[in-house]
């Protein structure tokens, strides 16, 4: 365990659904008011607990009174997805492994053996950035449906997350078309900052392990039945092709009767939480902290009768 600026961090190794998995817990200096299970981004193939999008985000939110559980989920094989015809390089995992690990981490965090027993399970939210946003969104569907890894909660009751927090997320297997305003901004981006539809398709196919349609809504929730999900905050980067997916997903949530807040962080490019010195990163952290700690900003889950009720026993 380490301490700094009054915050405490500790790594835990959980007996996850696919073997040992590591999470890092960030505890605030005072009694926590909320909890968040967080998944970093990295195109499903990169990223770790030390990158700013994981460590800086967690430390910043812990300073606002949030217990953060950062998930070191398993990664897909390395792939240069911006190069047409590139092949995966090296070992890695495919869907559903990372998705199940993020759901498992939430069940652990919100349960009796989690890092903040004084926090009720209903104070825990689930979130992620970029590819981690896809994992968090997919895990929220798993939790809605009770489709979490067998034995994750030992038969205990698992509630829906209080809310879902998505930063510039991957949401759809096929990237929706950009509106003219966004297309003009994307056209001016340097190549390394752009996410053309073909690159997103290759990235997602690498995660799935094939280039055909996904056979599960937990892989890419966009375009699927989103009824009964928790209130959701979507913060998109401004100059980012993936904003098209984040905006479409927010619209689909609203159409499904889910309480949703959508923000475009002005002047930012994709992955702005990985660049803490940029003002947009600080603004996004302030938005997320307020969302997690202020009940008046968050609605409730509106559960239709034909979906599992929050709090059902895990299968």
């Amino acid at each position: 365990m380490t301490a700094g600026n009054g915050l405490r961090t500790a790594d835990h190794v959980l007996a996850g659904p696919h073997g040992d998995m590591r999470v890092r817990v960030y505890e605030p200096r005072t009694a926590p008011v909320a909890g968040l299970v967080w998944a970093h981004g990295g195109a499903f193939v990169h990223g770790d607990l030390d990158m700013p999008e994981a460590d800086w985000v967690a430390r910043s939110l812990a300073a606002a009174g949030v217990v953060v559980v950062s998930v070191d989920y398993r990664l897909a094989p390395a792939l240069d997805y911006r190069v047409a015809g590139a092949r995966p390089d090296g070992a890695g995992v495919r869907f559903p492994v990372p998705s199940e690990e993020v759901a498992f981490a939430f069940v652990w965090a919100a349960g009796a053996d989690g890092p903040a027993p004084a926090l009720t399970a209903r104070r825990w939210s689930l979130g992620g950035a970029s590819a981690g946003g896809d994992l968090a969104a997919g895990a929220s569907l798993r939790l809605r449906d009770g489709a979490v890894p067998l034995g994750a909660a030992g038969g205990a009751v698992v509630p829906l997350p209080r809310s879902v927090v998505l930063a510039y997320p991957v949401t759809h297997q096929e990237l929706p078309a950009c509106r003219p305003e966004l297309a003009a901004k994307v056209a001016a981006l340097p190549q390394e900052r752009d996410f053309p539809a073909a690159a997103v398709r290759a990235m997602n196919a690498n995660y799935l392990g094939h280039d055909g349609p996904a056979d599960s809504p937990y892989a890419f929730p966009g375009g699927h039945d989103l009824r009964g999900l928790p209130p959701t905050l979507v913060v998109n980067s401004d100059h980012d092709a993936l904003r098209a997916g984040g905006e479409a997903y927010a619209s689909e949530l609203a159409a499904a009767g889910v309480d949703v807040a959508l923000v475009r962080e002005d002047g930012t490019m994709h992955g702005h939480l990985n660049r803490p010195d940029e003002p947009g990163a600080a603004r996004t952290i302030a938005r997320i902290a307020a969302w997690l700690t202020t009940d008046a900003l968050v609605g409730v889950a509106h559960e239709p009768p034909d979906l599992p009720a929050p709090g059902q026993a895990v299968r």
Side-chain angles (χ1 to χ4, degrees):
M1 177 178 291
T2 62
N5 296 325
L7 306 179
R8 294 185 298 171
T9 67
D11 286 6
H12 299 258
V13 177
L14 309 181
H18 301 281
D20 289 349
M21 58 176 286
R22 186 168 63 120
V23 298
R24 182 171 296 164
V25 177
Y26 297 75
E27 297 183 57
R29 63 178 64 88
T30 57
V33 296
L36 175 69
V37 174
W38 181 254
H40 64 76
F44 303 108
V45 300
H46 304 298
D48 56 41
L49 297 185
D50 296 319
M51 66 191 292
E53 199 174 71
D55 185 69
W56 177 76
V57 167
R59 290 181 183 277
S60 300
L61 294 175
V66 180
V67 177
V68 181
V69 175
S70 188
V71 186
D72 192 23
Y73 57 86
R74 286 168 168 80
L75 301 175
L79 175 72
D80 191 349
Y81 52 89
R82 286 190 172 91
V83 175
R87 305 293 297 175
D89 180 21
V93 302
R94 312 286 192 176
F95 174 83
V97 172
S99 172
E100 292 182 344
E101 290 187 325
V102 171
F104 184 95
F106 180 84
V107 173
W108 172 79
D113 297 328
L119 269 186
T120 66
R122 299 274 182 191
R123 297 301 304 171
W124 281 91
S125 293
L126 175 61
S130 195
D134 176 74
L135 298 180
S140 72
L141 267 70
R142 290 185 180 279
L143 291 158
R144 179 199 67 181
D145 298 345
V148 298
L150 186 66
V157 172
V158 178
L160 278 174
R162 171 183 178 267
S163 71
V164 176
V165 177
L166 305 177
Y168 40 85
V170 176
T171 52
H172 296 72
Q173 186 174 1
E174 292 285 336
L175 183 66
C178 295
R179 296 183 291 106
E181 168 269 329
L182 177 55
K185 289 179 176 177
V186 169
L189 290 172
Q191 182 178 8
E192 66 273 12
R193 295 287 191 188
D194 190 14
F195 287 88
V200 174
R201 188 178 305 116
M203 175 183 75
N204 291 347
N206 185 52
Y207 170 54
L208 284 176
H210 60 79
D211 59 2
D215 59 1
S216 170
Y218 309 141
F220 301 101
H224 292 281
D225 185 354
L226 305 180
R227 292 174 298 162
L229 286 177
T232 300
L233 170 65
V234 182
V235 181
N236 289 317
S237 301
D238 185 8
H239 301 251
D240 179 11
L242 289 180
R243 170 154 67 89
E247 290 175 343
Y249 189 66
S251 296
E252 292 168 12
L253 286 167
V258 177
D259 292 339
V260 59
L262 174 65
V263 176
R264 183 202 311 178
E265 203 64 82
D266 191 47
T268 58
M269 292 185 287
H270 185 80
H272 63 268
L273 288 177
N274 251 331
R275 300 182 292 277
D277 292 338
E278 295 183 4
R283 292 197 304 268
T284 295
I285 288 294
R287 297 183 199 280
I288 294 174
W291 173 270
L292 294 172
T293 60
T294 309
D295 288 339
L297 295 179
V298 182
V300 298
H302 305 284
E303 197 68 32
D306 58 341
L307 288 174
Q312 78 165 43
V314 177
R315 294 194 296 268

